[in-house]
Each structure stands twice: as C-alpha cells, then as structure tokens.
Amino acid sequence: MALTNAQYDEIMHEYEERRALHRQELEDRQRYVYETVEGYKELEDETASASVAFGKRLLSGERLDRSVLRRELEELARQKLILLTEAGFSSDYLDMGYTCQDCKDTGYIGNEKCHCFKQKIIETLYDKSNLRMLTKSANFKLLTDRYYQGEDLIKFRGAVKAAEEFINNFCSDYQNLFIYGTVGTGKSFLSICIANELLKKGHSVIYFSSTGLFELLAENSFDYKNKGELRGIYEDLYNCELLIIDDLGTERTNSFVASELFSCLNERDNRKKATIITTNLSLEQLQNTYSDRIFSRITSNFRLLKLSGQDIRKIKKIARKESEDFQ
C-alpha cells in the first residue's frame, strides 16, 4: 500500500517543521548563553573570524597548513566549553536537538527511509485507532495494580513482567504474546504500553482492532482493481516489526477471516516477526470459534497471558459519575 503524493508531502512537511522548531530552540539557547556567559560570544566571533581569515588567505594563493587552523579552532572550542560548563550549563547545551537522532529529522539515512519515516507511513496508512494518541493515556507510567486483588493480582504482575521481558528481548528473542481474559481487565492497555516502549526505541508497529483489520482486507480482496494495493497491505502486515491485533473475536467470523488470520500468523512466524493478540475469548472459545490449526498455532507459538478481575473501565466510569454528582 503506497502513499499518495499528498500524503508523502505532508510527512515531509512535518519533518521540515521539526527542523525549524529545533533550529529556533537552538537559537534561543544560544541567545541566552550570549547574554549570561561573559566572554562566550567573543570566543564564538573569534572562531568565525579565524575560519574566514584562513579561507581568504587560501584564496589569495598562500600555501597554508590546515592543521594550524584545526588546532586553533580546537583550542577555541575548549575555551568555550569551559565557560559553558563553569556557568552551570551541560556540555551539550548548544548542540542541535533532533526528534530522531538517527536521521537528524530528515526522514532518510543516506538513500534509505529511516525507521521513523517508515512508522509515519504506517500511521498514515493504517492507524485508524491513532496509536500515538492512545499511548498518551496507556503507558507504563500510568499502569497500576490497584484494581487487582488475590489471584487476579498475581496474574496481572506476571503479565507485566512478561511484557517487560518482551520489550527488553525484542531485538534478540523472537516471541509473541496472546493476552486473554474477561472484559475490562487491561489487555488492550498492556498491549499499548508495549507498543509505546517499542515505538520509542524506533521499531515499526501496526495496531489494528480485529474488526478493522479484516474489514480492510475484505475491502481490497473482493475488488480486482485493488490487487496491487492488497499486495502492499500484505507486505506491510507481514514485515512490520510488531503487529498488534486487538479484541480478536469481535469481528464477524467466517471462512475468509479464518483463512486470513492463519495466513497472517503463518507468514509472520516464517519471517520471525512478533505479534500480540488480545481477546476476551477463553481458550475453549478460541478453539470453537476458529480452526484447529489457528488454535494450534497460537497455543504453540505464543506466550499465553491471562488477565482476570473486575471490569476496570466500568469501575472508572462509575467513579467519574460519582465525582460529577458530588460536584
């Protein structure tokens, strides 16, 4: 599935805005240092003057040793660093900032698209759920065990530990997670927490509700005009570093869904690409709803994490209502 020219231009415009923002931030920091660190601006001017004077002498035909200029500039840089740190600033205070250090907010490393650009493509094409927004309200900083007790608490802490191991070993250990259990026990929340951490590390993540995934595939599978589009969708689904299928079982299950689900799981397993599935289905319901080969593939290739307990969404909704009534 390819970007339109308008979508590509929009992404590149976002990179331009990032660079402009960071340039402005750097200029503001430079201005502040010039105003508060005595002698720093003079050293900065001396650095520029030395380079210009050396260049003019070269252009006039003088044979000069470039190492002389290099040593002079290194000494000026050393003096500036001393002034900066003695004034209480960090040594990198006047370094250019970037949202992505790898591509320096250009979207490309050499001629190859950066991982951040690839994720922007994924978000533009597939992220109807707006994963980036979801991670602001579902992340490990907000994760809490206050809604769990007894055996439910033990299961929850075990699932969190498994999630942390999944993240820490993501680059070295191929693994999949199947998070199942009763409604409102934090399954989707935990999957988004994992997605958030991997996005921060530069990995590509596609997040789909089960309904949204199979609707997208159906729309493109039954229209012969979209065959090229469909091939692109499959490649993205099979090759992204992490695919999350949320709320499996909420889609209208039929032979098409079962076939597509198996193909997706099989291809990703062949390519050793990680998958997380969340569902309200029990293992027995999973086997009854889908084919035996899907059940076998999940139970043998996925780490099974069961969450149980009260419906947290319902508890929060009641608490909000009581708070509004009290006000």
Side-chain angles (χ1 to χ4, degrees), residues 155-308:
K155 290 177 183 176
F156 171 76
R157 288 176 175 170
V160 172
K161 183 179 179 181
E164 291 170 343
E165 291 173 353
F166 181 88
I167 295 164
N168 293 334
N169 301 326
F170 190 77
C171 294
S172 59
D173 182 19
Y174 165 62
Q175 52 188 320
N176 306 294
L177 299 178
F178 183 78
I179 310 173
Y180 70 109
T182 50
V183 174
T185 48
K187 300 179 296 296
S188 298
F189 192 104
L190 186 58
S191 72
I192 296 168
C193 288
I194 295 170
N196 183 48
E197 294 303 310
L198 293 177
L199 285 171
K200 288 193 293 186
K201 294 185 177 195
H203 297 291
S204 58
V205 180
I206 294 182
Y207 179 95
F208 263 114
S209 70
S210 182
T211 300
L213 172 60
F214 295 115
E215 283 181 352
L216 175 69
L217 293 175
E219 286 169 7
N220 289 278
S221 293
F222 299 119
D223 186 344
Y224 74 94
K225 297 178 182 178
N226 292 345
K227 294 303 179 185
E229 194 89 343
L230 185 62
R231 282 194 297 272
I233 293 172
Y234 282 136
E235 281 306 301
D236 291 336
L237 288 177
Y238 298 159
N239 285 321
C240 68
E241 291 175 275
L242 174 63
L243 172 65
I244 299 177
I245 304 175
D246 192 33
D247 271 341
L248 183 68
T250 56
E251 76 288 346
R252 181 176 296 178
T253 307
N254 51 39
S255 58
F256 172 80
V257 167
S259 174
E260 291 295 323
L261 177 59
F262 180 79
S263 294
C264 185
L265 297 181
N266 188 56
E267 276 296 325
R268 289 188 63 78
D269 182 49
N270 289 339
R271 303 183 191 200
K272 302 305 178 192
K273 300 294 185 179
T275 305
I276 296 176
I277 296 174
T278 74
T279 183
N280 295 330
L281 300 176
S282 66
L283 293 180
E284 182 180 5
Q285 289 171 324
L286 176 72
Q287 185 170 23
N288 292 336
T289 304
Y290 302 96
S291 65
D292 287 339
R293 61 180 185 166
I294 289 176
F295 179 78
S296 175
R297 184 57 56 97
I298 289 175
T299 53
S300 60
N301 288 357
F302 283 66
R303 184 171 181 177
L304 307 181
L305 306 176
K306 185 175 183 180
L307 292 178
S308 57

Side-chain angles (χ1 to χ4, degrees), residues 52-74:
V52 171
F54 192 87
K56 287 181 177 179
R57 291 174 65 185
L58 283 175
L59 289 173
S60 68
E62 287 190 56
R63 297 172 65 86
L64 301 173
D65 184 353
R66 293 179 183 273
S67 65
V68 175
L69 175 63
R70 186 177 64 252
R71 286 194 297 272
E72 183 179 355
L73 294 180
E74 287 174 350

Side-chain angles (χ1 to χ4, degrees), residues 30-47:
Q30 287 174 329
R31 192 177 303 111
Y32 183 65
V33 168
Y34 294 161
E35 293 171 354
T36 57
V37 181
E38 186 176 350
Y40 193 95
K41 180 66 164 61
E42 288 74 14
L43 288 174
E44 193 93 306
D45 292 341
E46 191 175 340
T47 299

